[in-house]
Amino acid sequence: MVKKSYLLILLTLTFFVIGCFGDKKERVKTDLPQATVVRVIDGDTIVVNLNGMEEKVRLIGVDTPESRVNKRAEIQSKEGLGDTQTVVELGKKAKEFTASLVKPGDKVYLEFDVQQRDKYGRLLAYVYLQDGRMLNKEIICNGYAMPLTVPPNVKYEEEFRKCYKEAREKGLGLWKE
């Protein structure tokens, strides 16, 4: 009886350890719609070929600095990212980071939230890379974006905010200075 109890405890601990410390690699979400990357527009927008059509995809929950001088860059400047030219320089770095993760011809998987399109007609998606990592999350966790929550698309809001806080604290990406 004692041996059975020890065995049960050992098995329980083994499953706990495997669950907590086992393979942390993300799983490829092959059940989602697959698309092919055409190009990166900026740090938070890409173009994909989905079902034979080119679609602009706005990454849900991600806000990178603008990579061109425009009204949004001026707003971001007033929000404390620096002058407009600094915002644009940061935006170019964010675009370079995104482009380092997705290249033309790469296969990606799209996960939609409550709304599938924004007011500009762009697809709104969480984009998964071939290795299972979520592009949106990688950009924020590596310090190249701020979280942007636009209800009702809030599925990963807490996760993104946590990543952002850690990236800022560690001085990653755009937060190096």
Side-chain angles (χ1 to χ4, degrees), residues 1 11 29 52 66 92 102 104 114-116 127 145 168 174:
M1 184 70 174
L11 283 173
K29 299 193 178 233
E66 294 298 307
K92 288 178 182 176
V102 288
V114 176
Q115 292 175 316
Q116 194 166 350
V127 176
R168 291 291 302 251
L174 304 177

Side-chain angles (χ1 to χ4, degrees), residues 52-153:
M53 294 186 55
E54 282 196 8
E55 294 271 8
K56 283 186 182 178
V57 176
R58 177 64 170 79
L59 303 176
I60 298 174
V62 176
D63 187 27
T64 60
E66 294 298 307
S67 56
R68 296 182 312 269
V69 175
N70 57 28
K71 286 182 183 179
R72 180 77 181 124
E74 292 172 12
I75 292 169
Q76 288 176 330
S77 174
K78 292 175 184 167
E79 292 173 345
L81 286 178
D83 62 24
T84 305
Q85 195 54 44
T86 301
V87 168
V88 170
E89 290 304 314
L90 293 173
K92 288 178 182 176
K93 288 180 183 179
K95 179 180 178 179
E96 287 171 13
F97 181 77
T98 299
S100 76
L101 296 175
V102 288
K103 307 214 177 326
D106 286 356
K107 301 288 183 217
V108 294
Y109 299 91
L110 307 179
E111 178 183 6
F112 303 108
D113 207 329
V114 176
Q115 292 175 316
Q116 194 166 350
R117 293 192 183 269
D118 66 9
K119 64 183 179 181
Y120 305 107
R122 300 176 296 189
L123 282 177
L124 300 171
Y126 304 104
V127 176
Y128 290 88
L129 308 174
Q130 281 289 116
D131 63 8
R133 292 178 298 155
M134 184 198 301
L135 178 62
N136 315 48
K137 185 177 175 182
E138 288 297 312
I139 295 167
I140 295 173
C141 289
N142 284 284
Y144 289 93
M146 293 75 64
L148 175 67
T149 303
V150 181
N153 300 318

Side-chain angles (χ1 to χ4, degrees), residues 25-40:
K25 186 176 183 213
E26 303 278 342
R27 303 288 180 230
V28 177
K29 299 193 178 233
T30 55
D31 58 325
L32 298 174
Q34 186 182 63
T36 304
V37 175
V38 175
R39 71 181 177 281
V40 173

